[in-house]
Amino acid sequence: MRVLVAGAAGFLGSHLTDALLEQGHDVLGVDNLSTGSLENLKHLRTERRFGFCEQDICDPFDPKGVDYVFNFASPASPGDYMRLGIETLMAGSAGTRNLLEIAKKCDAKFLHASTSECYGDPEEHPQTEEYWGHVNPIGPRSVYDESKRFSEALVMAYHRYEKLDTRLVRIFNTYGPRLQMNDGRVISNLLTQALRSDDLTIYGDGSQTRSFCYVSDEIDGILRLARSDEHTPVNIGNPVEWTILECANAVLRVTGSTSKIVFLPLPQDDPSQRQPNIGKARRLLNWEPKIDLETGLKLSLEYFRGCIEAAG
Ligand code: NAD
Ligand code: UDP
């Protein structure tokens, strides 16, 4: 297949690109480099089955015949999407529509990277795909949450009205090499702080929970979904739930760091709990994650050490 990966210079997009190339496909990556980096693709410089185009998905473009479109283009860390609020809303609306039109024109399949943020600050726990969510539509996170919810509605509308062959993955917190060191997400912050012997910053009292999936497990689940015939959303994430304080202690164990933990104010609307029910992925895709948090943190150490060295 010839595959279009939007957001290819990002954390997940670059790992997805690697996996697709490994499976023998040709990949055209597009990215506007707003939160991603060509560093994530530099190992593909001599790969003849890979092409890259600096492109904003909100602007029209013609990839000239593709069989599959993967939409991973959107700011994703809270720091990035709050800094780029309007751009985030546009990526999830005009950008997603542009890519759906390309898929329609090429008669290509389509997979959209959605998010556990569609559930907002969830009142149902763990979250199943049937839960409609609890989202503040005008709060600081709304630029991301509502852009992602609008994208899901748009993708389902193209499936229903235009008969497009679409898929929706709801990704839960994923981490690993190629996360931007300074994008403000919890794993990148805590690992970098521990390796530098800086204080570990915990927002609030650290009792809020997240469920962390290592990147190779996440990509495996996404590719299984891409090959399936499931059109409604599927949660792909690791169901083991951690408080943020437990996560900080895991980082201290894995790095052997003697950093102190400090507590800072909790940002507005920060979800208090998040844990995927992955029954649907288990049943339909025969998928479940294999890598636990401490193993995944160890697998990420070398990359973060390299980032710290490069930053000087
Ligand atoms: P990332 O910031 O590393 O990657 C996003 C990429 O999209 C970047 O390379 C960025 O430059 C590019 N981009 C942003 N706006 C664009 C635009 N208008 N046109 C073209 N390119 C654009 O983030 P990530 O973690 O790799 O996330 C990738 C996708 O997965 C996003 O859609 C995100 O919402 C989703 N997701 C990620 C997670 C996670 O834990 N990593 C969780 C849920 C959902
Ligand atoms: N967090 C934290 N310290 C940090 C960065 C994040 O305590 O240095 C918390 C944040 O408030 C949230 C959780 O860790 O409760 C996960 O944050 P992240 O930004 O990684 O992603 P989110 O799941 O909120 O989108």
Side-chain angles (χ1 to χ4, degrees):
M1 289 195 299
R2 182 162 188 264
V3 181
L4 174 64
V5 176
F11 163 54
L12 288 177
S14 63
H15 283 285
L16 176 67
T17 297
D18 286 345
L20 289 165
L21 288 167
E22 207 161 289
Q23 293 185 347
H25 305 298
D26 288 3
V27 178
L28 171 63
V30 300
D31 201 296
N32 70 353
L33 304 179
S34 57
T35 63
S37 163
L38 288 177
E39 225 5 62
N40 291 335
L41 298 171
K42 69 169 193 286
H43 57 290
L44 300 177
R45 261 195 308 252
T46 56
E47 173 56 68
R48 288 167 56 191
R49 287 183 295 114
F50 177 67
F52 179 78
C53 181
E54 188 170 336
Q55 171 72 48
D56 192 315
I57 57 161
C58 299
D59 300 330
F61 67 104
D62 180 6
K64 302 217 167 39
V66 287
D67 305 297
Y68 216 123
V69 176
F70 287 84
N71 181 17
F72 281 65
S74 168
S77 86
D80 284 340
Y81 65 68
M82 289 190 210
R83 179 171 56 86
L84 299 168
I86 293 168
E87 290 87 342
T88 302
L89 281 161
M90 293 313 292
S93 50
T96 299
R97 177 162 194 231
N98 227 357
L99 295 177
L100 285 162
E101 282 294 323
I102 286 172
K104 185 178 143 191
K105 196 169 145 199
C106 298
D107 199 18
K109 297 182 182 192
F110 192 94
L111 183 144
H112 179 74
S114 190
T115 168
S116 55
E117 279 286 313
C118 287
Y119 303 123
D121 189 3
E123 292 169 317
E124 178 181 308
H125 197 69
Q127 294 79 54
T128 62
E129 290 85 350
E130 281 71 43
Y131 178 52
W132 290 355
H134 180 230
V135 171
N136 177 350
I138 56 164
R141 297 175 86 99
S142 65
V143 290
Y144 184 65
D145 299 9
E146 297 297 9
S147 119
K148 290 290 181 179
R149 286 164 67 99
F150 181 79
S151 274
E152 285 202 3
L154 200 56
V155 169
M156 286 310 294
Y158 269 76
H159 174 64
R160 292 200 177 101
Y161 302 119
E162 302 286 353
K163 309 292 174 232
L164 216 66
D165 193 358
T166 59
R167 283 136 198 86
L168 286 166
V169 55
R170 289 198 183 135
I171 300 170
F172 283 65
N173 296 62
T174 303
Y175 68 99
R178 300 189 198 152
L179 266 179
Q180 297 287 326
M181 180 178 75
N182 51 8
D183 75 3
R185 287 188 255 202
V186 69
I187 299 285
S188 30
N189 271 8
L190 295 180
L191 273 180
T192 309
Q193 290 160 347
L195 291 172
R196 284 182 161 148
S197 304
D198 290 343
D199 292 347
L200 266 51
T201 54
I202 289 199
Y203 304 156
D205 61 5
S207 64
Q208 71 271 36
T209 67
R210 294 294 185 272
S211 304
F212 299 102
C213 191
Y214 188 68
V215 62
S216 57
D217 282 334
E218 187 68 43
I219 297 293
D220 176 36
I222 289 169
L223 288 174
R224 284 172 191 242
L225 176 63
R227 286 191 297 269
S228 80
D229 288 322
E230 182 57 35
H231 303 297
T232 61
V234 180
N235 290 339
I236 300 284
N238 189 316
V240 180
E241 184 182 16
W242 294 73
T243 68
I244 295 302
L245 188 55
E246 287 168 343
C247 173
N249 282 313
V251 166
L252 290 177
R253 277 195 299 279
V254 163
T255 54
S257 168
T258 53
S259 291
K260 287 200 313 291
I261 290 177
V262 296
F263 294 89
L264 300 177
L266 188 69
Q268 187 191 332
D269 295 343
D270 198 284
S272 60
Q273 51 182 1
R274 198 183 272 163
Q275 182 188 24
N277 175 318
I278 60 164
K280 191 171 175 183
R282 279 199 176 106
R283 203 171 58 250
L284 290 179
L285 312 175
N286 193 24
W287 175 85
E288 63 180 10
K290 299 189 178 70
I291 297 183
D292 63 44
L293 180 61
E294 294 205 12
T295 306
L297 290 173
K298 282 181 197 148
L299 291 170
S300 310
L301 279 181
E302 193 188 319
Y303 164 78
F304 280 98
R305 278 204 188 96
C307 291
I308 290 169
E309 226 164 81

